[in-house]
Amino acid sequence: MKILLSGTASDSHTWNLVYLALFLEERGHDVVALGPCVSPRLLTTACRQHVPDVVVLSSVNGHGYRDALASVRALRAEPELAALPVAVGGKLGIVGRSGEAETARLREAGCDAVLADGADDLEALCSFLEARARVVV
């Protein structure tokens, strides 16, 4: 699958994105890595340009919840991107794992998978991608 991998608007960290790109490429995916500090507008533009099968948003600065909400809302506001699968993960809040309320809001906004930053979450990402791959084929 073609995966568009992106940091969030306020997150300037890059090692998480490098790791995820390698992790996904090792599993046979074609990865388009946008890098850090990607605004919702840049994300929607890149999705139109690259036409990915899935978007993966990663954050480690603790503001992933807020930034991911803005990004997924921007994607869902565009008719041609409204059904594009989106997974978000990493350190989504400043107090550790996101709570049920934050996860519910992300899902309501259109996130198909909400993950944290543990080893189990990488396995959950793989499961999510495998399920999407069956839909794409």
Side-chain angles (χ1 to χ4, degrees), residues 1 3 23-24 27 29 54 56 85 87 112-113 115 119-135:
M1 286 191 321
I3 298 173
F23 179 84
L24 295 168
R27 281 147 185 83
H29 300 292
V54 175
V56 174
D112 299 285
L115 311 163
D120 291 343
D121 295 294
L122 282 176
E123 292 305 316
L125 176 60
C126 289
S127 296
F128 170 74
L129 294 173
E130 287 171 14
R132 302 286 12 123
R134 286 190 289 272
V135 173

Side-chain angles (χ1 to χ4, degrees), residues 10-132:
S10 71
D11 197 330
S12 64
H13 294 87
T14 57
W15 284 115
N16 57 313
L17 299 171
V18 170
Y19 175 83
L20 279 171
L22 291 171
F23 179 84
L24 295 168
E25 287 170 348
E26 286 176 353
R27 281 147 185 83
H29 300 292
D30 178 19
V31 177
V32 176
L34 294 184
C37 298
V38 176
S39 69
R41 183 175 180 183
L42 177 58
L43 181 65
T44 57
T45 299
C47 286
R48 279 192 215 92
Q49 178 183 359
H50 296 285
V51 192
D53 299 307
V54 175
V55 171
V56 174
L57 299 173
S58 176
S59 178
V60 296
N61 74 348
H63 300 289
Y65 165 72
R66 182 194 66 212
D67 290 346
L69 273 177
S71 292
V72 79
R73 286 176 176 157
L75 289 171
R76 299 305 180 231
E78 302 292 327
E80 69 273 22
L81 303 175
L84 181 61
V86 177
V88 60
K91 187 175 179 191
L92 302 178
I94 58 172
V95 294
R97 281 187 161 312
S98 292
E100 290 179 25
E102 291 86 0
T103 298
R105 282 189 206 103
L106 286 165
R107 288 193 177 278
E108 288 168 9
C111 286
D112 299 285
V114 180
L115 311 163
D117 59 357
D120 291 343
D121 295 294
L122 282 176
E123 292 305 316
L125 176 60
C126 289
S127 296
F128 170 74
L129 294 173
E130 287 171 14
R132 302 286 12 123

